[in-house]
Amino acid sequence: MSAPVSEVVVWLILGLPVASFVLIAALYPVLRRYPAPAGWIAMLAIGGSLGISVWLLMEAIGAAGRPLDFETHELVDVGSLLITIGIRLDGLTAVMTVVVTAVSLLVQVYSTGYMRGDRGYARYFAYMSLFTAAMLGLVLVDNLVVLFAFWELVGLASYLLIGFWFHKPAAAAAAKKAFLVTRAGDLGLLAALIFIWVRAGTLDIATINTEVVGAVELGLLGQTTLTLFAVGLVAGAVGKSAQFPLHIWLPDAMEGPTPVSALIHAATMVVAGVYLLGRFFPVLEASATASDLIAWIGVGTALGAGLVAVVQTDIKRVLAYSTISQIGYMMFALGTGAYAAAFFHLMTHAFFKALLFLGAGSVNHATNTFDMRRMGGLRTVMPVTYLTFVIGALSLSGVIPLAGFWSKDEILIEAWDHQPAIFAIALVASGLTAFYMFRAIVLTFHGSYRGGGQPEPGGHGGDAAHPHESSWSMRGVLVLLAVPAVAAGFLTFGGEFQTWVLGALPHPEEGHFVFDLGVFLASTIVAAAGIGGAVAIYRLRLINVAALRTGMLRPVYRALESKLYMDLLVEDWLVRRFFHGGLVKAMARVDEQGVDRALDGVWHVSFEAGRWGRLVQNGQVQMMAVALVAGGVVVWGAVVLFWA
Amino acid sequence: MTIGLEHFLVLGALLFGVGLYVALAKRNAIGVLMGVELMLNAVNLTLVAFGRFVESEVALSTSVFVVFIIAVAAAEIAVGLALAMVVYRNRDTINVDRVNLLKW
Amino acid sequence: MGEGFPILSILVFLPLAGALLIALLPGQRVPWPAAAVRALPGNQQAHAKWIALAVAFATLVIALVLFVLFDRADSGFQFTDTFLWISAQDAGFDVSYAFGVDGLSMPLVLLTGLLTTIAVLISWRIDVRPKEYFAWLLVLETSVLGVFTSLDLIFFFIFWELELLPMFFLISVWGSGRRSYSAMKFVLFTFFGSAFMLVGFLVMGVVAGTFDMREIQESALAGAVLPVPAIFAFIFLAFGIKLPLVPVHTWLPDAHTDAPTAASVMLAGVLLKMGGYGILRLLFTLMPETAAAADVALAILAAVSIIYGAVITVRQTDLKRLVAYSSVSHMGFVLLGVAGLGVVGMSGAAMQLVTHGLITGMLFVVVGMIYDRTHTRQISAMRGLAHYLPLLSTMLVFAGLAGLGLPALAGFVSEVTVFLGAFGRHEPQTAVALVGVLLAAGYVLWALQRSVFGPRDERWRELQDVRAWWEFLPLGALVSLIVLLGVYPSVVLDVFELGVRPIAEGIAVFQPDIVESEALEVARLGRGG
Amino acid sequence: MDGVGHHLAFWSLAVITVGAALGILVSRNLIHAMVMLILSFIGVAGLYLLLSAEFIAVVQILVYVGAISVLMLFAILLTPRAARDNAETAMRYPGLILMGLVIAATVFVALETDWGAVREEPVTESARIIGQSLINEFVLPFEIAAVLLTAALVGAVALARRDDEDIDAHEQSLTLEGREDSGGSS
Amino acid sequence: MLGEVNLFGPQLVLMCVGGMLLVAELVVRDRRVLVAIAMAAVLGAVAYSAILLADGKVGRTAFDEVLVFDQFALFFQFLLGGVALAVIAASWDALARFPSRQGEYLALLLFSTAGLMLLAGTRDLIGIFVALELTSISQYILVGFHKDRLSSEAGLKYLLLGAIASAVLLYGMAILLGLSGSTNLSAIAEYVADGDSGVIEALLLAMVFLIVGFGFKAAIVPFQMWVPDVYQGGPTPIAAYLSVASKAAAFAILIRVFLEALGAELLSAHWSTIFAVLAVLSMFVGNILAIQQSDLKRMLGYSSIAQAGTILIGLAAITADRSIALGSGGILFYLAGYAVTNLTAFLVVIAVFNRIGSCEIDAYRGLGKRAPLLGALLAFSLISLTGFPPTAGFFGKVYLFDAAVQSDLAWLAVVGVVNSVISAVYYLRPVKAMFIDETASTVEMPARWRPNAPLALTLGLTSAGVLVIGLAPSLLIDVANEAVTIFVG
């Protein structure tokens, strides 16, 4: 099937943000002083990308989500290694590009308000363009190595944006942590791609999904090979998508600007892992081990992160843990075979989580803080923010008929079919979601105002003593995002969305709408319980939280507040004590004491030998004569005795 | 027992060894030179003995050799003594164990 | 550039001629050869650097022209320039003056030309004995170019040894810290290795009856005084020290740290490459059977170097030393790729030579520029440089990221190629080596976090960011090349493949089961079925 | 050579020669050692006679006893402030051991080697024949020896002579090598 | 008869002019005239050799084979003549210290050179002995020629040791003579070739005593201990002469005696091993002790011991069938390269000593600034001694090591290369002092100065030699190999 669109046009999706990045970088000396055009350049580019994406989505819909055929280009051809680059455009890609470009555009519009007055305004938009480009590349390409390249570039953008305010040591540290932890997972992906190439001789995604999987089914290739490959993919996904045990970077990543959190750490980049596993869904399906692995990791993460979110006092961290938890949902959805549901949730989550983050950003603009203990009562001064935030929270909590409900419901149904234990845990997590979200709403918007934070020197934001509603660009974006947060779920009714996404699979099937009354009731009850509980505890103060904290729930609290000891385990024990304190020290000892010492020893010995040797040369002529004659006699004796 | 080549050779060997000891152990430079002379005499004796006893054309060359050795020995001694004098002038001693400014 | 035109001789000896010209420049008056530069700005001593720049640039241009003219279909030596130099009658000691380039050496020659030009540029402010400095720099270039283009073992060895003296002087006169200790250590280590290499060469030459590396056959070495593995080991020692491999790497951090910036650039950029080049050109080409048998040991050595180097790097607090130690780790990849025995691995290894040269060269350039401004190399003493030195900090971040193997930058390509090429034969070693990538991210990011990031520090308020043309030029060139090779590696990789293919074919005779990739068998079957 | 006379002559000369040499070895007085040396030379001359090498014997007496010994006596007399003893240095014991080893080696070789056919009667050899061979086949060494003697003579004179500039040179060297002076003695 | 004397011509020229100088000195006191006469003599001798060569006299023998004019001898005549010229030129300043004895000095130098040339060209034990003594006695006197404390001590030590060594050598010759019944090397060779094992001990003793005697001159461990003292104490030009000319001639006679007379398998197996062991010892002892030195002259003394060890590799490297001349040819090649190299080093030392009166390495600090050219030349020669390309020393070593490898002595080559590494430690020390150390020497040093003209000229020639041999060794290798073809079976 020849593609109805020119390849160049597709590349433009990626090319426009790249151009934006290059342009801003090139004009940086000017834009540094007069930053406003930077935002326009970036938005124009991403707007263009969005336009093309939507067009392509239409095309993809037209093709029922089946991949369109594009040419591939040779990038590297050495020996048996052939790395090509080409476009993979199918329903999945089209949906992803639209989500990415749409959220991206909205976030950038929002950013023009949020970042106004920041010294790094232009730099910010350059980074954002870079990120968008990388993310689109990740989604679009058809070769595993190239995908990996974009995968890492996305990480780079994330690194740069988390560390955007690098003058804050916490931001710099968080950026490093994010990069390192995700890279640990990336190693798995790298290993997987090396492995599959060595074993199967191809890096083409489509080939792997069809021929290689087929070869395994035919017994031409070991099942282990596929499993190891899939496990490697899972490792990569776990790192990038902040799943247990590599989730620890995401909460720290909240040190970045809030729009960044919204775009990268909620809507797009962190779900790249989901995309990756979805991309290789046939592989995952073919490997039960990997499926189970990801299912249990996902659901465990969903629950654990939900628990930790309950005790967070920083609104962004609540959202971060919520993101981790929600991605856990998508992950176990993939693990349980709910491919389409996972992506449906990915899409809805992108919108409502971005909305929530941007709402948090709006609040931050007013109060100069993310600490919910210093907020309260903002409902009256920030009505738009409040309303949209509540919509987002409801959607997230899975309240019918908002978008979140439909996507989550679909996952739960599949889980129920597949593995009731997972369903049960997911249900608990769902309740927790509702609980912590409304805890956050209550603490932030209800009650009385608790003073806000100090404005940062050189930062933006206004007078925290008198909070006010944000600028039009920010409010407008919140409203715009609220629309899909409410309505995106309706795409599922005809099974359209599922059809598009399923079209990406080698053996596509017609998507259809699923609904299960039992599951619906269960999830709704749980959500209601969560909301009710939060309101009861934090608004109506039916239970004394402080007493609980110091009372019988103290160990639980401590465990939750220390993030279930994961940071401690990794940072303190693994990195600080084992790696730095043990391994590095030991090796450095070897380095300092080993080779050089040995050489010093040789040098020392020969030097000392010289020092003593020269004493023989004591200027006594008869000493010399003795040596002379003795030399002769000894040589003769030795020869006669031993050789002759 | 006939007095044969071996007798002279052993005698030469003994003389050589004693001369060597004198050269190696005596502290006076002139004493050392005496030892050297003894060694050369031992060589000469050996050569002459070869010339007397060995059945070949060697006789003539040994004699000539000995003459050359004697001449050279004389020259060597002369130069040696001259050098000893110079050392004496510089150091007021000709004891070789004290002539050790140059070392290490 | 017809047959017989001694273009390579000109290329190799042009820098030497330049060095002589500079050395002969009198302090006071301008002689006729230098009269041409009378009009140029600067004082008398400035002429030295202008001449050096002109010569280095001319060499670069020649190298570039050769690279363009290089016949990409011919896997043999091109532009050869040969005559019998030493012919000892009946003594079996015939040495050829033989230059030639093939796919393996061509990019390295280009790299040398480039980095020397950059080294000259970043030394623009040298005011201690500039004449000697630039002269030595050019002598160094000649020696390195000679190593990359020699086709005769003894000839090769001469250039190999010639490189020691310029480095000795560059480090010990213009260096810092314990420079004379470091210079001596460098010389002794290298000399030690090359001494054994010489014995290896001689043994080969004696038994093969020629020192011409195009004519030596491993099968002919069987009757040598030393068993072939011993010859291999002797020569490998020299290359291992140069590369450097753990445990003979300890000269490197000292030499790098104490050398002046340009010398560090040259050292990391081209001198270390001589080790990797030698392994491919001499060991694997001339002794394929032994090489094929030694691959497991080599891969283990490589993995140890990669991990050990990276772990030690983590501990460094001196920015330059950190970069230096990272070289140990990065050069381990070269050996790993080579140990893969196939075209992919060797191409990756060769590519790693170039990319490491560019990236580490750039790191040293930037660190040197930072040092020129802050007068410290201690990471703990730096903080928030990005506030006052935005461009330089960006460059440091860029180079650091390139160093940790970020895609779209050069390092990624070579590392991935190496991994792909090595994994088939050495699964455990390659798997261990993968961890090195993570460790690299660890030390690079740690260093960046503490040096360029962080709150403003008033101490650096007065610092000037990059502004001079001689600072922009090297940075710009390096950045664009790193990006170019990262995005479109084939421009160099194809040439390398041309060079390593015969080597791999030679080895394949002894190791028919070389598995780089199960050559699409499965995929084809799957498609068919 | 098996007559009683031969035996008597050989053994007595041997005793004289080696005994005198040992006398030098044990003597603590340089003059005594000198006398012993002359005695030893004479003994060797006697042995030459026994070996029918009359010409060599004469030369031996003339050069060694006549010239070299006198030279040595002069040297002794010209170094009045130098120690007069003939004591041994610290090299005594190494010297003894070495003497033993060398004698063992040379005696071993002398006795164990098959020196070939032994000539019963000595070839008659006279000063004339030696002289002829010196200007025929050995003319070259002869000429060289002449130059050698010249060189030695001239050199010895040049060394022993006191020149004005030598005194300067001596003083100069004292200042130049002043550092090393502390260890030495004068 | 005249034809025979003709072959003796070069040496005769030296001897006669030497005698004339002794006389001329009484009349002429002008240093220039005397030096000119001496140089003319050397040039005349060399020219004479050249004429003989051109006249096709190569291969002739004279005086009942006592003297031989072969290519081997010719090689050394040219080499030694060149060295003598350089040493005479280098003595320009030294001569000023003893104006009344200039003639003697030069004459002795000529006599000694004549002796050395003869040494390379005799095939008779008596001739060897007399030639050796001629050169030795002249050298004893020359070493003590300053007559100061150090010089006289050095002279006396050299003489006493030399006398003992000659006695030992003579004993060895006596045994050889007694066994073979001839002083002629060919006759000895015949004897050794069909010698039976019953005389092996005697032959070995003679052989070892010859090694002692010649090894003393060549400065091989353990017969080397005089070297540093004599180099340090004697006049520096004489030290240069000893380290180059004397050593060269010693190796010449070693090659001639051992290859020609004792070359039969019966002995060569033994002496090859002995030389290998002594080579190792010499290299290690020379190098390790040289590291300790602070006086450059003394350091060069130790270095010359190590160099002797390197050269010995060539003697040890005798292939079983001796079909190739690599080892001995390598020695000749190395000796020539070593001659120009070491002369360069010594000439700079002389120049510096003449100016600042010190040979301490510390005194060389800052020399690179004060006298860049001199410093560069010293550095260049030291680099050549270490064996870095592109110098004479490099090819010399490569060639000798190649010889070792060809003779299945790869281990010896390894020891050799390891020792090259060790030697870098001390050879680079003066380089560092001159060019790298910033703290200036405490010794007063004039700002910009040049050595006297003869020295400068010679220095230019020798250093050019180092470079030329390093760049185009082919010619010299051919000549050296040609010279030893007479020994090749």
Side-chain angles (χ1 to χ4, degrees), chain C residues 117-139:
Chain C
T117 312
I118 285 173
V120 170
L121 281 174
I122 58 174
S123 306
W124 214 243
R125 280 283 168 78
I126 287 282
D127 47 7
V128 182
R129 294 152 76 178
K131 260 170 54 177
E132 291 163 65
Y133 179 88
F134 288 107
W136 283 127
L137 215 50
L138 292 178
V139 173

Side-chain angles (χ1 to χ4, degrees), chain E residues 377-392:
Chain E
L377 289 179
L378 179 57
F380 185 55
S381 64
L382 291 174
I383 281 163
S384 172
L385 286 173
T386 319
F388 283 119
T391 59

Side-chain angles (χ1 to χ4, degrees), chain A residues 304-614:
Chain A
L307 282 170
V308 175
V310 169
V311 298
Q312 295 303 314
T313 55
D314 181 309
I315 187 168
K316 273 181 82 178
R317 283 180 183 256
V318 173
L319 294 174
Y321 277 105
S322 154
T323 307
I324 297 172
S325 173
Q326 292 305 308
I327 298 170
Y329 260 83
M330 303 173 206
M331 286 291 178
F332 82 73
L334 284 171
T336 54
Y339 166 79
F343 280 98
F344 192 41
H345 194 55
L346 186 153
M347 183 194 70
T348 57
H349 174 258
F351 291 118
F352 60 68
K353 188 53 68 64
L355 169 63
L356 287 170
F357 265 111
L358 296 182
S362 174
V363 168
N364 164 256
H365 237 247
T367 64
N368 283 335
T369 183
F370 291 111
D371 191 340
M372 294 187 292
R373 288 168 299 190
R374 318 193 62 146
M375 300 174 183
L378 295 174
R379 178 174 43 131
T380 45
V381 287
M382 305 178 75
V384 177
T385 306
Y386 174 66
L387 273 174
T388 51
F389 200 88
V390 169
I391 290 171
L394 285 172
S395 188
L396 173 59
S397 307
V399 172
I400 196 164
L402 299 168
F405 166 78
W406 302 108
S407 56
K408 196 183 271 185
D409 201 46
E410 205 166 329
I411 292 175
L412 288 174
I413 291 166
E414 297 263 6
W416 174 249
D417 290 348
H418 191 85
Q419 175 60 272
I422 290 177
F423 170 78
I425 298 171
L427 206 59
V428 176
S430 171
L432 283 169
T433 308
F435 179 77
Y436 63 67
M437 278 321 296
F438 280 84
R439 167 177 174 266
I441 288 174
V442 169
L443 289 177
T444 309
F445 293 101
H446 294 268
S448 54
Y449 186 54
R450 292 186 287 276
Q454 293 303 313
E456 277 181 47
H460 44 78
D463 181 7
H466 304 96
H468 56 87
E469 187 59 283
S470 305
S471 64
W472 68 267
S473 61
M474 292 161 74
R475 267 178 297 164
V477 168
L478 292 179
V479 173
L480 278 177
L481 274 171
V483 175
V486 172
F490 305 142
L491 280 171
T492 188
F493 291 159
E496 296 95 339
F497 183 85
Q498 285 87 336
T499 307
W500 307 338
V501 175
L502 284 167
L505 295 180
H507 309 292
E509 42 197 284
E510 194 69 17
H512 49 84
F513 174 61
V514 289
F515 187 79
D516 186 298
L517 193 63
V519 173
F520 160 68
L521 286 176
S523 72
T524 305
I525 291 166
V526 165
I531 295 167
V535 172
I537 295 171
Y538 295 98
R539 178 78 187 121
L540 307 175
R541 299 188 190 280
L542 294 179
I543 298 169
N544 187 343
V545 182
L548 272 182
R549 182 177 282 166
T550 52
M552 60 188 216
L553 284 179
R554 189 157 167 245
V556 178
Y557 258 103
R558 286 197 32 191
L560 292 178
E561 278 178 343
S562 54
K563 306 159 197 169
L564 295 173
Y565 302 115
M566 278 308 292
D567 276 13
L568 183 78
L569 194 68
V570 174
E571 288 191 3
D572 199 56
W573 285 91
L574 187 68
V575 174
R576 194 162 301 132
R577 298 199 192 190
F578 171 71
F579 182 69
H580 278 287
L583 192 66
V584 175
K585 237 182 193 161
M587 280 204 174
R589 254 189 111 73
V590 171
D591 205 46
E592 284 151 17
Q593 310 284 323
V595 184
D596 265 12
R597 270 306 145 85
L599 290 170
D600 282 354
V602 170
W603 164 246
H604 196 68
V605 165
S606 48
F607 191 81
E608 287 297 311
R611 260 182 42 176
W612 292 102
R614 72 189 294 199

Side-chain angles (χ1 to χ4, degrees), chain C residues 53-333:
Chain C
L53 181 61
V55 169
F57 188 70
T59 314
L60 172 62
V61 168
I62 296 177
L64 204 56
V65 168
L66 287 183
F67 188 76
V68 172
L69 292 180
F70 187 81
D71 180 357
R72 279 154 174 77
D74 177 6
S75 65
F77 288 100
Q78 302 181 26
F79 310 113
T80 48
D81 183 5
T82 313
F83 62 84
L84 193 60
W85 178 31
I86 302 169
S87 158
Q89 53 175 13
D90 311 330
F93 186 77
D94 290 346
V95 179
S96 307
Y97 173 104
F99 285 129
V101 286
D102 69 349
L104 181 57
S105 45
M106 190 64 244
L108 294 172
V109 167
L110 190 57
L111 177 74
T112 308
L114 176 79
L115 286 182
T116 310
T117 312
I118 285 173
V120 170
L121 281 174
I122 58 174
S123 306
W124 214 243
R125 280 283 168 78
I126 287 282
D127 47 7
V128 182
R129 294 152 76 178
K131 260 170 54 177
E132 291 163 65
Y133 179 88
F134 288 107
W136 283 127
L137 215 50
L138 292 178
V139 173
L140 189 63
E141 181 176 23
T142 285
S143 69
V144 177
L145 286 173
V147 165
F148 288 143
T149 51
S150 299
L151 300 183
D152 181 283
L153 294 181
I154 298 293
F155 204 46
F156 174 92
F157 185 79
I158 287 173
F159 286 110
W160 179 277
E161 291 275 83
L162 191 62
E163 152 266 327
L164 286 179
L165 291 168
M167 274 315 283
F168 176 72
F169 279 99
L170 284 173
I171 296 175
S172 52
V173 177
W174 293 275
S176 56
R178 291 194 304 167
R179 56 195 178 176
S180 55
Y181 167 83
S182 300
M184 203 65 197
K185 197 171 174 182
F186 164 76
V187 168
L188 289 183
F189 263 84
T190 316
F191 198 26
F192 183 80
S194 55
F196 279 89
M197 177 164 81
L198 177 61
V199 176
F201 283 179
L202 291 176
V203 173
M204 276 209 276
V206 164
V207 71
T210 176
F211 288 109
D212 193 322
M213 43 180 106
R214 289 166 296 183
E215 287 169 25
I216 294 177
Q217 303 282 330
E218 187 175 24
S219 51
L221 301 181
V225 194
L226 294 173
V228 180
I231 305 175
F232 188 91
F234 273 27
I235 300 176
F236 183 74
L237 180 64
F239 296 144
I241 287 174
K242 195 95 221 172
L243 201 53
L245 290 176
V246 174
V248 286
H249 64 284
T250 56
W251 63 270
L252 178 116
D254 284 331
H256 265 320
T257 311
D258 295 338
T261 302
S264 297
V265 171
M266 291 299 282
L267 189 56
V270 291
L271 294 193
L272 303 187
K273 309 304 168 284
M274 290 162 34
Y277 172 77
I279 289 174
L280 279 170
R281 166 67 74 235
L282 296 179
L283 295 177
F284 276 63
T285 312
L286 304 185
M287 289 175 275
E289 189 174 0
T290 315
D295 67 330
V296 175
L298 296 185
I300 290 171
L301 267 178
V304 168
S305 280
I306 290 168
I307 297 302
Y308 182 98
V311 169
I312 298 291
T313 311
V314 169
R315 203 181 157 80
Q316 302 310 315
T317 54
D318 177 316
L319 195 52
K320 205 169 173 190
R321 215 175 164 76
L322 185 139
V323 178
Y325 260 113
S326 77
S327 285
V328 177
S329 180
H330 281 132
M331 293 307 284
F333 287 116

Side-chain angles (χ1 to χ4, degrees), chain B residues 2-56:
Chain B
T2 321
I3 302 290
L5 178 60
E6 280 82 5
H7 289 81
F8 288 94
L9 292 184
V10 170
L11 191 61
L14 288 176
L15 208 53
F16 190 78
V18 175
L20 180 67
Y21 174 79
V22 171
L24 291 188
K26 291 295 175 183
R27 61 195 290 190
N28 194 302
I30 297 175
V32 176
L33 284 171
M34 289 179 188
V36 173
E37 292 310 312
L38 280 181
M39 290 167 82
L40 290 175
N41 266 278
V43 173
N44 285 349
L45 186 58
T46 311
L47 278 170
V48 174
F50 279 135
R52 163 66 182 77
F53 288 108
V54 173
E55 182 78 67
S56 68

